[in-house]
């Protein structure tokens, strides 16, 4: 996820405090060492496990608060802490966004999950100084054909983007693959929120955009880069707005939204999906 990506991270300690992992000073695009990659594999495996379990347990009648409590408990049981909780003041361990909610939905014991919902669950784990980050879209029970198709295309767009990840390619190669697949299926790419580098900080350079643009740096990929790639698709307009809670982002036109995300390692000839759930 990309929470307020334009906020500058100014503190340098990596200690975990009562409000969550501290944000370290930004250092530009980082190449991870073998030791760092090994730790990130563990952090990402925790995220993958939690999301796999959440996907299996979701059913109508639960609340998004129930899912948040479960995710936090499991992250901590596996020796990590939630990346999101306390991050720039975010109050929970997952983002739970339903139907026309695009990103950053705040879990609540009052928010009941219903049959036919398109639920996006995004979470991260901070383990031994490094983060993993991933998001899934979940069709709850019998959903509309539009919801099924939107989720499927979003996942396919992610995989199309990952197919362009290898040393020597650029961010525009990823963006072009994502955008072409989305447009070919009649949906729109959200441009307000992008993927990002990930490692010691939840959000690092570069911004991993999902649409062709000359307004963001077109970084050339190198082995050892770790990226969170996350296409966000709307069934209607790409335009979004933020609700009064200052977190929940919804589609301007009320249309459905879907998102899939993986943390990946760039290799010489492709990528290694660190948050692979085995599905």
């Amino acid at each position: 996820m990309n929470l307020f990506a334009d906020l500058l991270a100014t503190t340098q300690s990596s200690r975990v405090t009562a409000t969550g992992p501290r944000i370290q000073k930004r250092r530009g695009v980082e190449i991870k060492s073998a030791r760092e990659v090994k730790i990130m594999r563990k952090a990402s495996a925790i995220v993958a496990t939690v999301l796999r379990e959440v996907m299996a347990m979701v059913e109508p009648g639960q609340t998004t608060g129930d899912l948040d409590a479960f995710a936090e408990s499991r992250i901590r049981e596996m020796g990590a802490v939630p990346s999101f909780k306390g991050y720039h003041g975010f109050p929970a361990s997952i983002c739970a966004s339903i139907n026309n909610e695009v990103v950053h939905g705040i879990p609540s014991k009052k928010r009941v999950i219903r049959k036919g919902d398109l639920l996006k669950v995004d979470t991260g784990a901070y383990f031994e100084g490094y983060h993993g980050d991933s998001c899934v879209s979940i069709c709850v029970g019998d959903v509309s054909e539009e919801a099924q198709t939107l989720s499927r295309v979003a996942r396919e767009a992610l995989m199309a983007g990952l197919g362009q990840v290898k040393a020597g390619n650029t961010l525009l190669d990823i963006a072009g693959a994502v955008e072409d697949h989305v447009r070919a299926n009649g949906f729109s790419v959200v441009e307000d929120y992008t993927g990002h580098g990930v490692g010691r900080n939840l959000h690092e350079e570069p911004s991993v955009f999902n649409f062709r643009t000359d307004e963001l740096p077109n970084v050339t990929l190198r082995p050892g880069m770790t990226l969170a790639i996350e296409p966000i698709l709307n069934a209607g307009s790409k335009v979004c707005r933020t609700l009064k809670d200052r977190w929940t982002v919804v589609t301007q036109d009320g249309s459905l939204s879907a998102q899939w995300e993986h943390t990946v390692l760039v290799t010489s000839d492709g990528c290694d999906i660190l948050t692979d759930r085995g599905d």
Side-chain angles (χ1 to χ4, degrees):
M1 74 181 205
N2 200 346
L3 296 174
F4 293 124
D6 59 335
L7 289 174
L8 291 177
T10 56
T11 56
Q12 298 189 47
S13 172
S14 62
R15 294 182 296 110
V16 177
T17 70
T19 57
R22 283 280 183 87
I23 302 170
Q24 300 188 60
K25 186 176 181 179
R26 293 189 178 193
R27 300 186 179 186
V29 177
E30 295 189 4
I31 303 300
K32 305 302 189 297
S33 68
R35 180 192 68 82
E36 291 174 311
V37 169
K38 184 177 180 179
I39 298 172
M40 286 194 65
R41 287 188 189 280
K42 295 178 180 178
S44 298
I46 291 169
V47 173
T49 297
V50 170
L51 287 178
R52 185 170 58 247
E53 293 174 353
V54 167
M55 293 173 77
M57 69 179 284
V58 168
E59 60 183 24
Q62 292 174 322
T63 70
T64 55
D66 295 333
L67 300 184
D68 181 62
F70 172 82
E72 178 171 0
S73 175
R74 290 293 286 130
I75 289 170
R76 295 188 186 279
E77 283 177 6
M78 288 184 277
V81 297
S83 297
F84 295 1
K85 195 165 189 177
Y87 186 69
H88 292 303
F90 190 74
S93 298
I94 67 171
C95 294
S97 308
I98 298 177
N99 296 332
N100 71 315
E101 294 172 349
V102 179
V103 288
H104 309 161
I106 300 174
S108 170
K109 288 289 186 180
K110 297 181 179 179
R111 187 70 190 276
V112 177
I113 300 167
R114 304 187 185 282
K115 180 179 178 181
D117 281 343
L118 179 56
L119 168 68
K120 286 76 68 177
V121 177
D122 191 352
T123 195
Y126 182 71
F127 179 80
E128 294 184 1
Y130 292 83
H131 296 270
D133 184 11
S134 187
C135 179
V136 297
S137 290
I138 304 169
C139 294
V140 183
D142 295 326
V143 303
S144 67
E145 183 177 350
E146 181 182 54
Q148 285 184 327
T149 302
L150 182 66
S151 178
R152 174 180 59 78
V153 172
R155 189 171 186 176
E156 291 171 351
L158 170 61
M159 300 313 294
L162 296 187
Q164 295 298 315
V165 178
K166 65 178 180 179
N169 276 6
T170 68
L171 294 179
L172 271 175
D173 291 319
I174 300 172
V178 170
E179 184 176 44
D180 286 348
H181 188 73
V182 174
R183 292 188 181 279
N185 283 275
F187 299 124
S188 61
V189 176
V190 171
E191 298 181 5
D192 293 341
Y193 301 91
T194 70
H196 50 90
V198 60
R200 290 177 300 160
N201 286 318
L202 182 58
H203 294 120
E204 299 180 347
E205 299 298 336
S207 293
V208 184
F209 41 91
N210 300 300
F211 53 96
R212 292 181 177 88
T213 179
D214 58 5
E215 296 181 358
L216 293 168
N218 183 28
V219 175
T220 298
L221 305 181
R222 292 180 287 163
M225 292 174 62
T226 47
L227 307 172
I229 300 176
E230 50 181 318
I232 306 172
L233 280 59
N234 290 348
S237 169
K238 68 182 180 182
V239 180
C240 305
R241 63 184 178 90
T242 304
L243 299 183
K244 291 181 179 179
D245 64 14
R246 298 186 178 182
W247 285 104
T248 307
V249 177
V250 300
T251 56
Q252 181 69 44
D253 60 8
S255 63
L256 293 174
S257 187
Q259 177 189 7
W260 290 84
E261 173 187 18
H262 273 310
T263 292
V264 304
L265 168 70
V266 179
T267 65
S268 60
D269 58 356
C271 74
D272 189 348
I273 303 176
L274 302 184
T275 49
D276 182 26
R277 297 177 303 278
D279 56 0

